[in-house]
Amino acid sequence: MPDRGGGPTGPRITVGRPSRRVRTLLMTLGVLAVLVMAFVMFAGFWTDWLWYRSVAYTSVFTTTLWTKIGLFLVFGLLMALAIGVNIWLAHRLRPPLSAMSLEQQSLDRYRMSVAPFKKWVLLAVTALVGLIAGASASGQWRTWLMYVNGVPFGKKDPQFNLDVAFYAFDLPWYRFLLGFGFAATVLSLIAAALTHYLYGGLRVTSPGARATAAATGHLSVLLGIFVSLKAVAYWLDRYGLAVKSSDFKAADNWTGLRYVDANAYLPAKTILFFIAAICAVLFFATLWRRTWQLPVIGFGLMVLSAILIGGLYPQIVQKFQVQPNEQAEEAPFIQKNIDATRDAYDIDDAVMEDYAGQATTEDDGKLRAAANTAASYRVMDPNVVSPAFQQLQQRRNYYQFPKTLDVDRYKGKDGKEQDTVIGLRELNIQGLPKRNWINDHFTYTHGYGAIAAKGTSTGSNPTGSPDFTESGLPSTGELGDYEQRIYYGEKTEQYSIVGGPQKELDYEEDGEKTTSYKGDSGVSLSNSFNRAAYAVSFSEPQIMYSGAIGEGSRILYNRTPKERVEAVAPWLTIDGDAYPAVVEGRIQWIVDAYTTTNGYPYASRTTLGDTTADSLTTNQRAVVAQQNQVNYIRNSVKATVDAYDGKVRLYEWDTKDPVLKTWRKAFPGTVKDRAEIPQKLMEHLRYPQDLFKVQRELLTRYHVEEPAQFYSGSDAWQVPDDPTNKEPGSVPPYYLSMKMPGQDAQQFSLTTTFTPRGRPNLGAFMAVNADAASKDYGTMRLLRVTSTVKGPGQVQSELNGNDDVAEFVRNLKGTDSDIEYGNLLTVPLEGGFLYIEPVYTRGGTQNYPLLRKVAASYGSKIVFENNLGDALNAVFGVDGDADPTPDPSEPPGETPKPPATGGDALKKAIADAQKAYEDGETALKEQDWPAYGKAQDALQEALERAAAAQPKAGGEGDKADGPKEGDKADGADAPDKGSGSDAAKKPDEGDEAEKGNDQGT
């Protein structure tokens, strides 16, 4: 031991060796520390394996894992070998010792300090760079799998006549190999140069030659390899021009060759390839010539050529040949870009047709009759009415509904399909009466039941609320019997431990009900090893020793549909909105998934996160793949996630997509064939919103197929801002059952509007058949408006300035309520466009939206009425008796017969009214609300017939001429079905005027 002071003659302090017991203890602690660290690292791997095994997708885990390990080992070893061999070679080629210069004397102490540890230093350096390179390479597992499993597209690019698969699957892998080669060469060059310098092969200040012959030859070979790789890069850059993005005023995110690329950059890259190849040969020749004179001259010429040929020449061509006649020169390349972009985004089959935008008839009765069947006007806006679901159907604070509900199709009691607003009553962990570990993860584990309401009508308890077809806790209604427990949902993000000794709260309704999970989902915690692994992975030690965990306990996690689909298919891009459907007795989350690439030649790129954002994505709806830049997309997979057992199923949807075929080769057995989709599930599949938003954004420019017009941008459109939302953002697309011009029946569609760029009027209307069960699914039609028609923003502005609206808003001020506008629906109708907008009030004693008014606009007329029927009558100037409330189920053109008149008709109407009243009283006592509603409808119809049949008496009580207010025969003031009010109550009792809001919807 070193002296501790006192000098040579001073006292020495000696420290004895630790005792055997201490050494044993230290060794034991060290071994335990290593074992603990190893277990911590292993725990994540083990829990991942257990999860994939629980969902029956172990092949995804193993394929991904072995691919990453293989890439890590191969490229890590290659990098370590390249660095190690060059360091060893530089050391071996070191010059013999000679007279020591000052430079060498200063380096000598470094050589002496390294000498005893040369092997360890070499191993450490090579291991470090190998680990870094291997880790980087393992991240390229997708690139490798696409390269080795690539399937031809069957389409060739117009410039090089190569299959698109070369750009989508092969070129990315070649670029990775090239980048790896550059990295290995540069690091080897640095390592070799440092070693040569350390051992005297290179000299900076010493007299004589600056490098030995051996060092010159070694470094020349490495430089030759570098220049060879540069030659390969020039050659690949030629093909890269087909997928290169550039700024071009004709289109944002332009991709592909332009005139200057094809006529300047392309030949320049070819010339530079040959120059670089010659330069590389000169470097290799240094092994024999032992001089760098020629290689240095060649390298200088290559750099000069790159500046002149690769940089200056293209700018000259652009400035003096292209710009003076840019439109004509670029036309062939614009055409290639248009064709490729329309094909890559699957919009090449969109049917474009001119549409006047003005009514083709002046017959108000005909227009009113056509409006009956033009669409199932959805007055329940799924983006607005979620608070009503929350207030009326939440039942407990620990339940919640999503801020944006979903639109689906279900059959009503009459067997006819109807647009339905649906949401699941999911668990809200923040609303628990008492927060602790047991409550959070053992007691409150699941939501309960689906809640659904008609999209085209309102309820009456209270008036203007959703007309529920499935409600209550447990839920009952038109959806039939199904498993209502929701263990997997969009809002279920925490883990739960179920199936063990601890009972779960099922629901509270007339007493507390408990349950124990019977599904086979999740990972068993019955053995201590699994419990320890999850305790480490979740940083929750209680999992290890809690008595609430025992035989049968299972841990559920990764519980949102998006998480589960992303985990079992990491090669898919997931839509931002999963939606629920009740299918064959189970709640299934339906998830749309996309295959994408950014290597489609000539197709312009788009950033998915920006393109799929709208006025709802700020705080209500997720955005798909925020930063993903793609130029090819297909809705290739429809996935389902069972809300009870979490089972994930992937179904092929696009049977022609080569990207999906590639991934199916890489992960065989993970995606089921399209033919295996159950028919009941098919009825609920729909066209995905995010794909539609990407396509509509591209169609703002790429609806134009003529290069000159595309270049000028004279017919460019834009997606208008949402006029009903205070937050900035594009108007969201709307699901709506409607008829396009020329169609005989309504189709479930996804619709949007366009305005001319920089102008507020309507430029076009677009709809796609969204019904997956239809043979016309995916058919996209655009109506290009050929006259000046009000756009959505203009309609909303006119509505805001309407006198009736102003009075309505003034009246609200005294009630402490606010007005909320619902979706502004646009429907083509008899050559023109009909706008329908529900208007809600919110505030006062009920802090959730209730439908109070409906606005309608057609042509130059805009109206603001109590309900949809009155709004349609008013906007077309049709009397309510002559054309009653529309029934979407009526065949096109059919109008109800006018009521009979005369004394007999009056007697019959009075008798019918008396019978309907009695039927209503009976149904009211029995609380049979459907029967009561029918009785109220019959009563209203009978009273209207009686009013029409009685003799005119100076106008008082005359429906056609008399005032609406107080007139019991007016449908707006009749008792609302299912309201529970006395059918014979006087008009001024309560707020009967508001109870007709749902009539006619």
Side-chain angles (χ1 to χ4, degrees), residues 177-200:
L177 291 179
L178 187 64
F180 179 83
F182 274 122
T185 304
V186 170
L187 290 176
S188 296
L189 188 61
I190 294 172
L194 289 175
T195 306
H196 280 299
Y197 177 70
L198 182 63
Y199 287 96

Side-chain angles (χ1 to χ4, degrees), residues 115-360:
F117 311 105
K118 286 190 293 187
K119 292 182 179 180
W120 293 108
V121 171
L122 178 62
L123 287 174
V125 171
T126 55
L128 179 61
V129 296
L131 287 172
I132 295 173
S136 176
S138 66
Q140 298 294 322
W141 64 271
R142 290 180 177 86
T143 307
W144 166 251
L145 288 176
M146 293 180 77
Y147 171 70
V148 296
N149 296 287
V151 173
F153 275 66
K155 298 177 181 178
K156 296 184 177 181
D157 78 283
Q159 182 66 44
F160 302 102
N161 203 33
L162 294 174
D163 193 276
V164 173
F166 170 80
Y167 301 93
F169 305 141
D170 299 344
L171 189 58
W173 179 249
Y174 296 152
R175 282 176 165 170
F176 164 72
L177 291 179
L178 187 64
F180 179 83
F182 274 122
T185 304
V186 170
L187 290 176
S188 296
L189 188 61
I190 294 172
L194 289 175
T195 306
H196 280 299
Y197 177 70
L198 182 63
Y199 287 96
L202 292 178
R203 305 180 183 90
V204 178
T205 61
S206 300
R210 297 299 183 191
T212 63
T216 300
H218 185 193
L219 297 179
S220 294
V221 169
L222 290 175
L223 287 170
I225 294 173
F226 179 86
V227 177
S228 298
L229 291 173
K230 188 60 182 175
V232 175
Y234 282 132
W235 189 258
L236 288 181
D237 284 348
R238 298 170 68 254
Y239 302 110
L241 292 172
V243 290
K244 182 196 72 171
S245 291
S246 60
D247 295 330
F248 187 33
K249 65 181 181 182
D252 297 330
N253 295 314
W254 173 275
T255 301
L257 285 84
R258 292 159 51 193
Y259 182 91
V260 69
D261 296 312
N263 295 279
Y265 281 112
L266 185 58
K269 297 291 184 183
T270 305
I271 295 171
L272 289 171
F273 163 76
F274 288 109
I275 293 175
I278 295 171
C279 186
V281 171
L282 294 177
F283 272 107
F284 291 133
T286 307
L287 283 171
W288 295 275
R289 295 180 56 86
R290 303 295 182 183
T291 175
W292 280 358
Q293 184 177 4
L294 285 178
V296 169
I297 293 173
F299 188 79
L301 289 175
M302 186 182 76
V303 173
L304 183 62
S305 300
I307 295 172
L308 296 178
I309 302 175
L312 186 59
Y313 174 64
Q315 292 182 17
I316 294 173
V317 171
Q318 177 69 24
K319 180 71 175 179
F320 296 102
Q321 188 169 349
V322 177
Q323 287 186 3
N325 193 23
E326 188 172 51
Q327 178 177 315
E329 298 288 9
E330 299 286 11
F333 303 95
I334 293 175
Q335 188 64 60
K336 294 174 184 178
N337 177 267
I338 292 173
D339 295 340
T341 302
R342 288 175 61 87
D343 181 70
Y345 290 94
D346 201 21
I347 55 177
D348 52 332
D349 292 329
V351 179
M352 174 84 73
E353 53 193 280
D354 289 339
Y355 189 77
Q358 304 290 338
T360 56

Side-chain angles (χ1 to χ4, degrees), residues 469-802:
T469 58
E470 184 80 10
S471 60
L473 180 66
S475 299
T476 57
E478 298 179 0
L479 299 184
D481 295 330
Y482 60 96
E483 174 56 68
Q484 298 197 17
R485 297 171 183 87
I486 302 163
Y487 284 89
Y488 295 88
E490 286 184 301
K491 304 297 182 182
T492 313
E493 298 177 346
Q494 75 284 353
Y495 70 88
S496 289
I497 299 175
V498 298
Q502 180 72 35
K503 289 293 185 180
E504 310 163 46
L505 176 67
D506 207 19
Y507 60 88
E508 291 182 273
E509 192 77 6
D510 299 327
E512 184 177 288
K513 313 292 184 181
T514 61
T515 188
S516 187
Y517 185 64
K518 298 297 188 293
D520 59 357
S521 181
V523 178
S524 173
L525 294 180
S526 297
N527 67 74
S528 299
F529 188 81
N530 286 358
R531 292 174 67 172
Y534 278 101
V536 171
S537 293
F538 289 5
S539 300
E540 182 50 72
Q542 294 187 77
I543 294 177
M544 185 65 196
Y545 55 78
S546 174
I549 302 175
E551 189 64 31
S553 292
R554 309 179 72 85
I555 185 167
L556 313 181
Y557 62 105
N558 287 351
R559 297 172 69 183
T560 69
K562 187 174 186 292
E563 283 178 322
R564 296 181 78 78
V565 176
E566 280 181 333
V568 303
W571 35 273
L572 289 173
T573 300
I574 310 302
D575 189 271
D577 181 33
Y579 60 97
V582 178
V583 181
E584 296 181 334
R586 308 284 282 203
I587 298 176
Q588 300 284 351
W589 288 101
I590 300 175
V591 182
D592 285 291
Y594 310 107
T595 47
T596 63
T597 180
N598 65 352
Y600 198 102
Y602 275 102
S604 289
R605 289 185 171 88
T606 185
T607 303
L608 291 182
D610 296 337
T611 308
T612 58
D614 58 32
S615 62
L616 300 179
T617 55
T618 52
N619 56 11
Q620 296 189 46
R621 190 175 185 275
V623 179
V624 58
Q626 182 66 50
Q627 300 302 324
N628 276 21
Q629 261 214 341
V630 305
N631 65 354
Y632 172 93
I633 186 170
R634 289 291 187 274
N635 177 211
S636 54
V637 171
K638 301 283 189 182
T640 63
V641 177
D642 192 290
Y644 181 74
D645 62 20
K647 187 178 292 294
V648 182
R649 297 178 180 86
L650 306 176
Y651 296 102
E652 175 190 36
W653 185 248
D654 190 329
T655 57
K656 298 179 181 179
D657 178 29
V659 182
L660 177 61
K661 292 178 180 178
T662 296
W663 286 119
R664 292 190 73 179
K665 281 182 63 180
F667 296 96
T670 56
V671 181
K672 300 177 182 293
D673 292 337
R674 177 167 175 157
E676 297 183 48
I677 300 178
Q679 182 58 39
K680 293 294 185 181
L681 174 62
M682 185 73 77
E683 294 174 0
H684 295 279
L685 300 182
R686 67 189 192 187
Y687 202 86
Q689 288 190 58
D690 283 336
L691 175 62
F692 185 75
K693 286 190 280 189
V694 171
Q695 291 173 324
R696 74 171 180 178
E697 184 64 33
L698 268 296
L699 281 168
T700 59
R701 291 301 306 270
Y702 286 92
H703 66 279
V704 176
E705 298 184 61
E706 202 279 319
Q709 190 178 17
F710 185 91
Y711 177 85
S712 68
S714 59
D715 194 27
W717 300 335
Q718 65 185 17
V719 179
D721 287 338
D722 186 358
T724 68
N725 199 309
K726 297 178 182 179
E727 299 291 335
S730 302
V731 61
Y734 296 127
Y735 287 105
L736 184 68
S737 292
M738 56 163 289
K739 291 193 303 185
M740 287 288 280
Q743 292 179 344
D744 295 330
Q746 293 179 15
Q747 295 180 340
F748 188 66
S749 304
L750 189 55
T751 67
T752 192
T753 54
F754 298 100
T755 57
R757 183 165 292 180
R759 288 163 34 202
N761 55 291
L762 190 63
F765 176 83
M766 174 179 167
V768 62
N769 187 317
D771 184 359
S774 169
K775 61 181 179 63
D776 295 324
Y777 171 84
T779 300
M780 193 174 293
R781 294 181 61 185
L782 289 104
L783 305 180
R784 185 207 305 265
V785 180
T786 58
S787 59
T788 302
V789 178
K790 291 181 293 186
Q794 292 174 309
V795 171
Q796 189 67 49
S797 295
E798 286 190 15
L799 177 64
N800 294 341
N802 184 275

